[in-house]
């Protein structure tokens, strides 16, 4: 597990863009599953996020036991539903 659970069960990082809006957030938690650390990445839906995370985790020697990749729900607009442009990817690693 990534996190020293005697000190904390969850860590959260956030990156700001130039307009001081949050671009990506990354949350690491041992509280979701007892057998793995869950890394939750939320941010804009750009090409390569999933592949970059898999490559970075693999390079660090992590074994990925499960991945969940989802687009954020659509929001209603005056013209109907529109895609939010956000993703939530969860990586369960050991």
């Amino acid at each position: 597990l990534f996190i020293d659970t005697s000190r904390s069960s969850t860590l959260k990082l956030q990156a700001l863009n130039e307009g001081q809006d949050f671009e990506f957030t990354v949350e690491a938690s041992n509280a979701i599953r007892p057998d793995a650390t869950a890394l939750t990445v939320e941010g804009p839906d750009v090409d390569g996020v999933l592949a970059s995370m898999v490559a970075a985790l693999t390079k660090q020697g992590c074994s990925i036991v499960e991945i969940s990749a989802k687009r954020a729900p659509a929001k209603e607009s005056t013209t109907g539903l529109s895609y939010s442009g956000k993703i939530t990817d969860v990586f369960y690693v050991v």
Side-chain angles (χ1 to χ4, degrees):
L1 300 175
F2 276 173
I3 303 167
D4 181 354
T5 54
S6 65
R7 298 180 75 190
S8 176
S9 64
T10 302
L11 301 172
K12 191 166 189 172
L13 306 170
Q14 297 176 320
L16 297 173
N17 65 16
E18 292 178 12
Q20 297 300 303
D21 295 321
F22 290 115
E23 284 287 336
F24 284 96
T25 61
V26 179
E27 182 176 338
S29 177
N30 287 337
I32 298 172
R33 280 180 61 161
D35 63 333
T37 297
L39 299 172
T40 303
V41 179
E42 295 178 321
D45 187 6
V46 294
D47 288 342
V49 173
L50 185 65
S52 295
M53 284 294 299
V54 169
L57 291 168
T58 302
K59 186 176 179 180
Q60 292 302 314
C62 297
S63 294
I64 300 170
V65 295
E66 185 179 340
I67 296 175
S68 169
K70 298 179 183 177
R71 288 183 167 168
K75 297 180 181 180
E76 285 198 44
S77 69
T78 56
T79 59
L81 293 177
S82 63
Y83 172 53
S84 68
K86 301 286 183 184
I87 54 98
T88 300
D89 295 342
V90 183
F91 302 84
Y92 298 96
V93 299
V94 292

